[in-house]
Amino acid sequence: MGKTKITNEQKPQFVQGMPLLNIYIIKDNGKYMAKCPELDIVTEMDTAEQALDAILEIIREYSEDYRNREEIFIKSPNRFHHKPYVDKVLECKDKWELCELITVKYGHIYIR
């Protein structure tokens, strides 16, 4: 079998869009909290993977609820700034596209 030769013009490139949302996965007392500060959403689960999956699902559900009740949320001082995020989330066709909008960071809680 022949090998495919890749020239400089054909080299694959990794392309990443600009992240829109931050998700912090924080370990605390054996549980994992996922927090999205831009949308004021938090969830807690037994594993980091479960916490990430849960917050992605909640972000989608929150965005759909926001769209359905936009007239109320737009007037809320705590929620009106969510609209650009919600609009971008709702443009996502699947979980992969939603994941492309986020940056995930991991850490611990320290209380002084």
Side-chain angles (χ1 to χ4, degrees), residues 6 8 20 25 28 30 44 52 60 62 99-101:
I6 296 177
N8 284 339
L20 182 71
I25 308 292
D28 183 37
E44 183 181 78
L52 180 58
R60 172 64 83 174
Y62 173 74
C99 288
E100 289 182 301
L101 293 180

Side-chain angles (χ1 to χ4, degrees), residues 46-59:
D46 292 329
T47 68
E49 295 80 13
Q50 288 172 341
L52 180 58
D53 284 343
I55 200 153
L56 290 173
E57 185 177 328
I58 291 169
I59 287 171

Side-chain angles (χ1 to χ4, degrees), residues 6-93:
I6 296 177
T7 66
N8 284 339
E9 297 85 37
Q10 296 174 317
K11 286 188 178 175
Q13 295 181 351
F14 174 74
V15 179
Q16 179 181 2
M18 189 64 123
L20 182 71
L21 299 170
N22 293 292
I23 295 179
Y24 298 97
I25 308 292
I26 302 160
K27 186 175 181 181
D28 183 37
N29 292 326
K31 294 281 190 176
Y32 295 84
M33 177 180 69
K35 178 179 176 74
C36 177
E38 293 83 7
L39 296 176
D40 302 322
I41 296 173
V42 178
T43 188
E44 183 181 78
M45 297 300 213
D46 292 329
T47 68
E49 295 80 13
Q50 288 172 341
L52 180 58
D53 284 343
I55 200 153
L56 290 173
E57 185 177 328
I58 291 169
I59 287 171
R60 172 64 83 174
E61 290 173 3
Y62 173 74
S63 297
E64 290 170 357
D65 184 48
Y66 191 105
R67 178 183 54 199
N68 292 334
R69 300 187 301 151
E70 191 169 307
E71 288 181 21
I72 296 168
F73 284 122
I74 277 295
K75 295 175 186 173
S76 169
N78 297 332
R79 302 285 178 206
F80 76 94
H81 66 280
H82 293 180
K83 181 156 177 32
Y85 301 112
V86 165
D87 290 344
K88 260 327 224 184
V89 167
L90 292 173
E91 289 175 12
C92 296
K93 296 178 187 85

